[in-house]
Amino acid sequence: MSGSAARTATADVVCLGESMVTFLPSQPGRLADVPSFGRGIGGAESNVACALAAAGHRAKWVGRVGADGFGDHLVDTIAGYGVDTSAVRRDPGRPTGIYFRTATDRATDTHEVAYYRAGSAASAMSPDNAPYEDLLAARILHLSGITAALSSDCLALLDDLTAPRDARPLISFDVNHRPGLWRDGAAGPEVLLALARRCDLVFVGEDEAEEAWGVHGTEAVRAALPEPSVLVVKRGSDGVTVFSRSDDGTEGDTVTTVPSLSVDVVAAVGAGDAFAAGFLSATLRDLPVRDRARHGHLMAAAVLTVPGDLTGPPPRAYADRLAALDDDAWGTLRLGPGWTLAAGANEEVRVT
């Protein structure tokens, strides 16, 4: 990251994107059959901000919500995690986005999500109304491909933020390819590729890279994205492969592969955002690449072992201790519900 940007930063990480009120079913079943819903929040970038704030970093979320009760709920809830929401803008003419989902695993065909976000306040974000003084005053600016899909104005904002500029923060980008969000589905992959190539740190799933760009394998993903200084290719249960270049201009990548953890999954939601938060947290602390990926896995494990998209991270000293395990111990670590509260209790963290 630029030295001058770091010196003037008023936040460790600023996350820009849409957050929505989420309605969670009271019981499994089709949306048509669920009798009632509980209220939560959902949004890739706000999830990252909440996790980072809970981990002790200065995190700011920048978004746009309606001047309505749902907007009040979003801002209050996100602020409750310790996130700075002072740069959130209210739109009196557009509503806050909401969505409903079933309790079924998102990876199955029976999972349903009903979005009510067309014309939302967040879709009106643009270079003309964005608070640049907040977006650029950070050590890291975290963006997502979801924002680019919301509207042409949102895409213009991401184009501008990823453009070269003096003293820009380190730009982190989670590809988050969501074909259903794009007005022109065929344009989405090309847009996401162009944005990712202008960023410094990129997160992308090996499967989504194949779906979006027709490339297969980590080396092919790196060939498609040669520009980012750090490229994190997520490979599901096989872990992650990180391609990184040193700041001294040395040519060539260092390739680091870090296996996933064995986790007793309660709900397979929110893991990608949590992984990004853990990786960014360790990046802010200038930890080695292996430990950055391990902290990503640990943060993801914290979310996977609870029902919702958000949870408190493990205590930092505890996470550091786990991240420092030797390869054999890391490979046999198994985490289940309650492990983040155990602070190292043998009955909750099992090395088998």
Side-chain angles (χ1 to χ4, degrees):
M1 67 192 70
S2 164
S4 58
R7 283 194 299 273
T8 60
T10 58
D12 293 326
V13 180
V14 172
C15 302
L16 167 75
E18 180 173 34
S19 192
M20 294 179 290
V21 173
T22 310
F23 288 93
L24 309 172
S26 58
Q27 64 185 44
R30 301 183 309 152
L31 284 178
D33 301 327
V34 174
S36 61
F37 295 81
R39 186 177 63 176
I41 66 169
E45 301 85 1
S46 59
N47 285 349
V48 172
C50 289
L52 284 166
H57 298 286
R58 297 175 301 158
K60 178 179 288 189
W61 173 59
V62 176
R64 195 172 182 87
V65 301
D68 49 34
F70 288 145
D72 293 341
H73 175 66
L74 276 176
V75 174
D76 291 346
T77 302
I78 293 169
Y81 281 87
V83 176
D84 181 350
T85 58
S86 61
V88 176
R89 299 292 189 259
R90 299 298 186 111
D91 189 327
R94 293 170 177 263
T96 303
I98 64 173
Y99 72 96
F100 296 77
R101 68 174 175 85
T102 58
T104 314
D105 188 333
R106 291 181 183 179
T108 69
D109 291 336
T110 57
H111 178 69
E112 295 176 75
V113 181
Y115 287 104
Y116 299 90
R117 72 197 309 177
S120 70
S123 70
M125 292 187 295
S126 76
D128 294 331
N129 59 33
Y132 279 80
E133 66 280 7
D134 295 288
L135 291 167
L136 300 178
R139 295 175 62 189
I140 298 174
L141 172 60
H142 181 68
L143 308 171
S144 159
I146 294 172
T147 305
L150 297 180
S151 68
S152 57
D153 283 341
C154 286
L155 175 55
L157 176 57
L158 261 62
D159 275 336
D160 192 44
L161 289 172
T162 57
R165 68 176 72 238
D166 291 338
R168 81 173 193 177
L170 185 149
I171 306 294
S172 166
F173 184 72
D174 193 335
V175 171
N176 263 329
H177 177 45
R178 306 285 177 84
L181 286 180
W182 289 89
R183 299 164 303 286
D184 178 359
E190 181 179 345
V191 169
L192 293 174
L193 184 63
L195 287 171
R197 293 182 66 176
R198 298 164 69 177
C199 297
D200 305 300
L201 165 59
V202 172
F203 301 94
V204 63
E206 189 175 27
D207 55 348
E208 70 178 335
E210 182 170 8
E211 179 185 23
W213 307 317
V215 299
H216 180 69
T218 57
E219 295 289 343
V221 178
R222 182 50 156 170
L225 291 168
E227 293 86 357
S229 298
V230 179
L231 173 65
V232 182
V233 183
K234 298 176 289 185
R235 301 165 55 223
S237 61
D238 291 329
V240 299
T241 296
V242 184
F243 297 87
S244 56
R245 288 194 297 270
S246 62
D247 294 332
D248 61 10
T250 303
E251 299 246 344
D253 282 323
T254 298
V255 182
T256 307
T257 297
V258 180
S260 296
L261 290 163
S262 295
V263 179
D264 297 330
V265 176
V266 172
V269 294
D273 301 332
F275 180 92
F279 195 97
L280 291 174
S281 174
T283 297
L284 288 164
R285 297 168 60 202
D286 201 27
L287 297 183
V289 169
R290 185 206 70 169
D291 291 3
R292 297 180 194 188
R294 285 188 171 188
H295 276 278
H297 285 316
L298 289 165
M299 196 81 86
V303 168
L304 288 170
T305 51
V306 298
D309 291 28
L310 289 167
T311 189
R316 180 175 290 184
Y318 181 28
D320 283 344
R321 192 160 69 248
L322 294 180
L325 291 171
D326 62 41
D327 289 346
D328 288 340
W330 176 265
T332 54
L333 192 64
R334 188 177 187 90
L335 302 175
W339 76 270
T340 60
L341 305 177
N346 290 332
E347 67 272 21
E348 294 294 346
V349 179
R350 305 189 298 279
V351 178
T352 57

